[in-house]
Amino acid sequence: MNLWHISEDSFDPKTLTAKKLHSQESVYTIGNGYFGTRGTFEEGYRKATPATLLFGVFDDIPVGKEELANAPDWLLIKLFVNGERFRLDKGTILEYHRILDIYNGILTRYVHWESPNGVRLKITCERFASLADEHVAAIRYSVTAEEQPTTTGKAIKEDLDVVLRATLNTAVGNYDLMHWETVDQEQVNALLWLHTETRHSGVQLAQTMTFTTQSPGFQTEMMDSDIAPSIRLSGTLAPGATLTTEKMVVMYTSRDTENPLQAAIQHHQGMMNASGTTTQSLTYNSSLAQITTSHIYEVLLAKHKEAWKDYWEISDILIEGDEKAQLAVRYSIYQLRISASSHDSRYSIAAKGLTGFGYRGHIFHDTEIFMLPYFTYVHPSIARNLLLYRYHLLPAARAKARKNGYEGAQYPWESTLDGEETTPESIIHPESGELIPVLNGTLELHISSSIAYAVYQYWFVTGDDEFMQQYGAEILFSIATFWGSRAEYHPEHGDYEINNVIGPDEWHEHVNNNAFTNYMARWTIQTALDTLDWLHTTYPNKAAVLVQQLDLTSKRLDHWRDVVAHMRIPQDERTGLFEQFDGFFQLKPLDQSKYKGRTASYQGILGMHGVQEHQIIKQADVLMLLTLLNQNFDLQTKRVNWDYYYPITDHDYGSSLTPALHAILGCEVGQTETAYNLFMKGALVDLENLRGNTPEGIHDACCGAVWQASIFGFAGLRLTGDSHTTAPSWPDGWTRLAFTFFHKGKQFSIDLRR
């Protein structure tokens, strides 16, 4: 077992389901943070869902405002031999292997295939999205004619007529919705280009392509088209001979530059020139096209591999004694990188990254709570950009608060580029098929605290004072102002309440005083007060500016302190047990033994209203509070709440976020075996499509939770001032756990051995 390879060794069209096909397309995604390309086949396949999603490139939709727009497909290479087209659902597959090398970011496929007429071929495809040059994608495609007799008894004695056609295909959409239309299409010598634009948002995309071979005897023809411009190679292939081609693509959008077409052409020409080959020397005509471009491909590949090598040197988690866990953890870390831009702070990481159409590319608190800790500890410059995304959207968050009658900044539950609420008002329930209202955009408020928490954690871990005084403090003060206005004073109880919300457990709506929401609101306000004191001491000029700009009067600050002192927190002072929200303990218990063998969530089984009547929850709620604010609670409090809430959480079909995050608390309370089982549910959620929804894309938040479970759970890493401690919890079989992180600019390498 190669601990860097995700692989499959068989492909049977007769038993392949659409769900399996689409799931594997998600799993075998390649990307570099600028774009992600699903693992569809170069030759195409019936009912496939090819997609290349570009970081922050949206187009309008009727419900949910906008979605990442599936760009023209750059993968297509169609092969014809003696007039027969190579397709996996035609002829006979004699051998098949596909490998995603996550160490090098390369997807390779080998197929030994016999055509319906008995021609045997060996086909090898290798593709990558350059991590060293984010605008570049490349494919090496090789075809070998077999010398042996075929199953028909006829030996191949004559050369084969071979045609390869490389295409940029605009006929792809987000399922049935098409987002791009062609502006223009042309060629510059050997370079074919396609210029498209999104239909509503007006984002322009330029894609340039070359398709070449060193093999003698092959002619090249440029085929113009507004829908599928192509480069056609044709010639003959002798038995035993191999034809190797290279397809290279460059992509720029109008988000990158005012003239993306010029930028793409110049970039592509620059690659050729750097290799000693100019596009002029690649001019195609009716003569044989014997072009030395293999060197260009090798240079690009070498730089790409070096970039991934540098990434893994600081990103890898080494687990010895559990190969399945080792591979799954690395896969999670791979996915986190290919969905995050290394430099663009105008957009963040979507729930499905750049791997599929699920959640339409919208940003949730999944980024701050589940993914951002990985970047904060390992790639702080990326974490900074992810938080700057939230800073840029403060005006929209303030507008949402005003619209709802509150002060400060109320962040949307779902957002894209402008920071407005993009949560759809209703959806078709994926399990029951009923049309249901979506209240998250109006009632699920804790995302604002999640952002405040992420800002503070980034500052605490990195010591980036410049970020806090320039950006972070304003975010914290604005969110604290919102909570100060959202909290309602209850004169009979003498406390402040936050009513009519949805907590992290989204199966219970219109609840009052959700423990997580109230506690995190109180924590946010107190953290804002502490940060203001720090700012007055360290950066008094900046403090004065923000005090005036945000109206941080003494009256407001006194109100904040009163809210902190008297916020209602539903917790039994004697036992430490939190009540998830007012009245939760009065709900009916659910006999889960009646539903053994189920393949749906309890919400899907009981219905939207039925689930709200029971003590059954979607994901960590109270337990997430105890995990995030770990230092605020003693071990006894953690244990009593674990004992109550762990058994009534739907770990299998609730939220994909819950298993790996539960693992952290499980380690703390001494439930290592349970923690490991939960951890693996999170780690394998997509590799084994455990929830049946991997076709929609990879669960990127789950990938982040897997990293956290490894580091904060099994390694037990905790930061203490300028130092750190570890307290390992060892699953059966694990003998070593090693990783790297940064704390206040200093790199630490931890190597734990059992």
Side-chain angles (χ1 to χ4, degrees):
M1 182 179 185
N2 188 309
L3 300 181
W4 293 99
H5 286 180
I6 307 299
S7 59
E8 60 181 5
D9 296 314
S10 64
F11 187 91
D12 186 354
K14 295 179 181 178
T15 60
L16 180 69
T17 63
K19 179 176 284 190
K20 176 66 173 178
L21 176 71
H22 299 157
S23 175
Q24 294 301 83
E25 290 170 358
S26 296
V27 167
Y28 286 92
T29 296
I30 60 169
N32 56 17
Y34 180 80
F35 70 92
T37 298
R38 285 170 61 83
T40 49
F41 302 130
E42 284 83 356
E43 65 276 5
Y45 198 85
R46 289 182 65 251
K47 297 184 179 180
T49 54
T52 291
L53 302 175
L54 297 146
F55 192 80
V57 176
F58 283 86
D59 195 35
D60 298 359
I61 53 176
V63 178
K65 188 182 178 184
E66 57 187 355
E67 66 184 0
L68 289 176
N70 185 8
D73 186 12
W74 63 273
L75 288 180
L76 278 180
I77 299 176
K78 296 181 181 179
L79 167 64
F80 300 85
V81 179
N82 288 350
E84 294 184 284
R85 180 179 166 186
F86 164 58
R87 284 173 40 169
L88 289 178
D89 58 346
K90 299 291 184 182
T92 304
I93 299 172
L94 305 174
E95 190 176 358
Y96 172 96
H97 305 285
R98 179 160 59 160
I99 295 173
L100 176 60
D101 177 352
I102 56 178
Y103 184 80
N104 292 303
I106 299 171
L107 179 61
T108 304
R109 182 168 55 114
Y110 168 80
V111 182
H112 188 190
W113 180 76
E114 182 176 305
S115 76
N117 286 335
V119 176
R120 286 192 175 187
L121 304 173
K122 295 177 180 177
I123 300 158
T124 303
C125 321
E126 174 185 88
R127 76 172 79 145
F128 64 92
S130 176
L131 197 67
D133 186 341
E134 64 180 16
H135 297 282
V136 173
I139 303 173
R140 174 172 279 169
Y141 193 98
S142 298
V143 182
T144 301
E146 195 171 81
E147 292 181 296
Q148 290 82 2
T150 68
T151 54
T152 63
K154 299 177 181 178
I156 298 177
K157 298 179 181 179
E158 299 178 353
D159 293 352
L160 301 175
D161 291 323
V162 174
V163 175
L164 279 166
R165 189 165 72 236
T167 304
L168 297 173
N169 179 29
T170 65
V172 292
N174 294 49
Y175 298 124
D176 297 328
L177 186 59
M178 309 292 285
H179 284 297
W180 298 86
E181 59 183 1
T182 300
V183 176
D184 204 357
Q185 185 274 308
E186 255 300 344
Q187 52 183 283
V188 180
N189 297 317
L191 208 62
L192 181 148
W193 57 260
L194 174 67
H195 182 192
T196 54
E197 185 177 53
T198 53
R199 295 177 182 271
H200 303 287
S201 60
V203 178
Q204 296 183 48
L205 167 65
Q207 294 168 298
T208 60
M209 175 178 70
T210 52
F211 186 52
T212 57
T213 181
Q214 293 185 42
S215 299
F218 276 81
Q219 294 182 330
T220 302
E221 179 184 1
M222 309 290 276
M223 305 174 69
D224 291 332
S225 167
D226 285 343
I227 298 173
S230 305
I231 300 175
R232 182 178 185 271
L233 298 179
S234 59
T236 58
L237 192 63
T242 297
L243 166 67
T244 298
T245 64
E246 280 101 17
K247 178 179 183 178
M248 282 168 278
V249 175
V250 172
M251 291 179 270
Y252 274 84
T253 77
S254 51
R255 284 170 52 79
D256 308 316
T257 177
E258 289 185 1
N259 192 332
L261 179 59
Q262 182 183 37
I265 291 173
Q266 290 180 348
H267 192 139
H268 208 134
Q269 289 177 332
M271 291 191 315
M272 314 292 277
N273 294 338
S275 70
T277 307
T278 65
T279 50
Q280 283 73 24
S281 70
L282 294 179
T283 301
Y284 293 148
N285 50 42
S286 59
S287 63
L288 300 183
Q290 299 179 25
I291 302 162
T292 306
T293 55
S294 181
H295 178 64
I296 306 171
Y297 183 92
E298 292 296 343
V299 169
L300 291 173
L301 181 60
K303 291 180 178 179
H304 167 74
K305 286 183 174 180
E306 187 65 26
W308 273 107
K309 178 176 178 289
D310 292 342
Y311 173 74
W312 285 112
E313 281 185 357
I314 60 173
S315 304
D316 189 25
I317 294 177
L318 179 64
I319 297 172
E320 290 186 356
D322 188 339
E323 293 184 342
K324 198 170 189 178
Q326 173 69 93
L327 181 59
V329 165
R330 284 174 171 162
Y331 182 73
S332 294
I333 297 170
Y334 164 83
Q335 285 293 340
L336 289 168
R337 178 61 188 90
I338 69 172
S339 290
S341 172
S342 62
H343 59 84
D344 192 343
S345 64
R346 296 171 296 172
Y347 180 55
S348 186
I349 308 178
K352 297 290 187 179
L354 301 173
T355 67
F357 304 137
Y359 299 113
R360 306 181 187 277
H362 294 182
I363 309 302
F364 299 74
H365 88 144
D366 299 28
T367 307
E368 282 76 22
I369 296 301
F370 297 95
M371 300 182 235
L372 199 128
Y374 163 72
F375 293 104
T376 295
Y377 278 81
V378 186
H379 298 279
S381 63
I382 294 179
R384 197 178 203 265
N385 283 332
L386 295 174
L387 291 171
L388 284 175
Y389 164 78
R390 296 297 191 181
Y391 177 79
H392 299 326
L393 302 186
L394 263 175
R398 292 186 176 116
K400 177 170 183 175
R402 284 196 303 271
K403 180 181 178 182
N404 292 331
Y406 304 110
E407 299 177 298
Q410 179 187 358
Y411 278 92
W413 182 244
E414 298 182 33
S415 63
T416 53
L417 299 181
D418 61 12
E420 295 181 1
E421 182 63 69
T422 56
T423 304
E425 294 183 0
S426 60
I427 62 169
I428 302 296
H429 194 284
E431 293 171 301
S432 67
E434 59 184 323
L435 181 67
I436 60 171
V438 179
L439 303 176
N440 308 70
T442 54
L443 301 184
E444 197 155 4
L445 309 181
H446 57 267
I447 184 170
S448 295
S449 293
S450 298
I451 293 166
Y453 174 83
V455 166
Y456 178 79
Q457 283 296 309
Y458 170 80
W459 183 37
F460 177 73
V461 174
T462 65
D464 187 349
D465 289 351
E466 193 270 342
F467 170 83
M468 182 56 85
Q469 67 103 356
Q470 286 289 335
Y471 312 106
E474 186 176 349
I475 296 175
L476 283 175
F477 302 157
S478 300
I479 295 173
T481 300
F482 165 70
W483 284 126
S485 67
R486 182 62 173 80
E488 308 167 36
Y489 185 68
H490 195 299
E492 294 181 15
H493 298 159
D495 60 12
Y496 289 88
E497 299 183 339
I498 300 177
N499 294 321
N500 193 27
V501 303
I502 297 174
D505 166 28
E506 296 169 325
W507 286 350
H508 294 89
E509 301 171 342
H510 298 293
V511 304
N512 297 332
N513 297 308
N514 169 254
F516 182 91
T517 302
N518 287 24
Y519 201 108
M520 290 299 292
R522 184 179 73 175
W523 176 90
T524 298
I525 296 173
Q526 183 60 59
T527 301
L529 288 166
D530 296 341
T531 303
L532 183 57
D533 290 342
W534 169 83
L535 201 64
H536 275 301
T537 302
T538 313
Y539 299 98
N541 292 337
K542 181 67 174 181
V545 169
L546 289 180
V547 165
Q548 182 177 13
Q549 178 183 327
L550 303 179
D551 193 30
L552 302 181
T553 62
S554 58
K555 180 180 178 181
R556 184 185 300 280
L557 299 181
D558 286 343
H559 174 64
W560 285 7
R561 296 184 185 98
D562 194 46
V563 173
V564 168
H566 299 101
M567 176 67 79
R568 171 163 163 69
I569 305 294
Q571 183 184 24
D572 187 311
E573 294 183 2
R574 182 180 60 84
T575 65
L577 180 65
F578 286 93
E579 185 173 23
Q580 185 171 291
F581 54 80
D582 288 351
F584 182 81
F585 290 155
Q586 279 69 57
L587 298 180
K588 294 181 289 188
L590 181 68
D591 184 0
Q592 297 182 58
S593 65
K594 294 181 179 179
Y595 303 98
K596 288 184 178 180
R598 66 192 172 94
T599 57
S601 73
Y602 285 113
Q603 186 186 59
I605 294 170
L606 301 173
M608 290 286 295
H609 299 292
V611 76
Q612 296 194 53
E613 298 173 352
H614 291 85
Q615 290 189 46
I616 187 72
I617 60 180
K618 178 181 179 180
Q619 61 183 304
D621 192 308
V622 168
L623 298 189
M624 185 159 75
L625 172 66
L626 302 181
T627 303
L628 297 186
L629 300 182
N630 182 278
Q631 307 291 343
N632 291 24
F633 306 103
D634 59 29
L635 185 59
Q636 177 57 29
T637 299
K638 294 172 184 175
R639 281 179 172 155
V640 71
N641 283 280
W642 171 275
D643 290 344
Y644 192 92
Y645 286 104
Y646 170 77
I648 60 173
T649 304
D650 188 349
H651 299 284
D652 294 310
Y653 296 101
S655 170
S656 64
L657 305 176
T658 195
L661 200 62
H662 270 87
I664 300 172
L665 197 59
C667 288
E668 281 201 81
V669 299
Q671 299 290 330
T672 304
E673 182 179 354
T674 299
Y676 174 77
N677 291 334
L678 291 168
F679 166 75
M680 291 304 288
K681 285 182 181 180
L684 300 174
V685 65
D686 292 311
L687 290 174
E688 297 185 0
N689 191 18
L690 296 180
R691 293 170 179 268
N693 57 1
T694 298
E696 295 289 316
I698 297 299
H699 296 76
D700 271 20
C702 200
C703 295
V706 165
W707 182 88
Q708 291 190 60
S710 304
I711 305 307
F712 304 141
F714 299 122
L717 177 69
R718 299 290 183 270
L719 300 187
T720 55
D722 292 330
S723 187
H724 63 271
T725 62
T726 56
S729 298
W730 294 103
D732 287 345
W734 288 29
T735 58
R736 186 183 178 193
L737 180 57
F739 57 94
T740 299
F741 71 95
F742 290 87
H743 185 201
K744 295 187 176 178
K746 184 178 179 181
Q747 181 174 335
F748 293 90
S749 295
I750 305 297
D751 194 342
L752 304 172
R753 298 171 189 259
R754 194 166 190 170

